[in-house]
Amino acid sequence: MHQQHGKAAAPVQVVSLSFTGLGIRAHADGRTDREAWRLICERHPRLALAAGAHALTLGGVAAAALVRLL
């Protein structure tokens, strides 16, 4: 592990969430789908909750728009 000034370098951590028309795609440290969601829920529980709430809100808006059109 590379060290600078006597401190250990922090491991690189990459987390991304993509909101698509079909749902949420998760990527964490090179992993995708369920394994990525598991890592995100363990390491960033607030981010996972916020993503779920955002998806539910978008789904509710889409459902309300559809009902209004009918």
Side-chain angles (χ1 to χ4, degrees):
M1 191 176 275
H2 179 68
Q3 292 186 358
Q4 292 179 343
H5 304 292
K7 295 181 183 178
V12 175
Q13 185 181 99
V14 177
V15 174
S16 72
L17 296 173
S18 303
F19 294 90
T20 67
L22 300 175
I24 304 172
R25 300 226 31 175
H27 301 275
D29 293 342
R31 296 176 180 95
T32 59
D33 301 326
R34 289 182 188 251
E35 194 172 352
W37 272 114
R38 184 184 57 76
L39 285 173
I40 292 169
C41 288
E42 286 176 5
R43 297 178 186 171
H44 309 284
R46 290 181 186 157
L47 177 64
L49 283 173
H54 184 71
L56 286 174
T57 301
L58 288 178
V61 168
L66 184 62
V67 167
R68 185 163 187 152
L69 287 175
L70 300 176

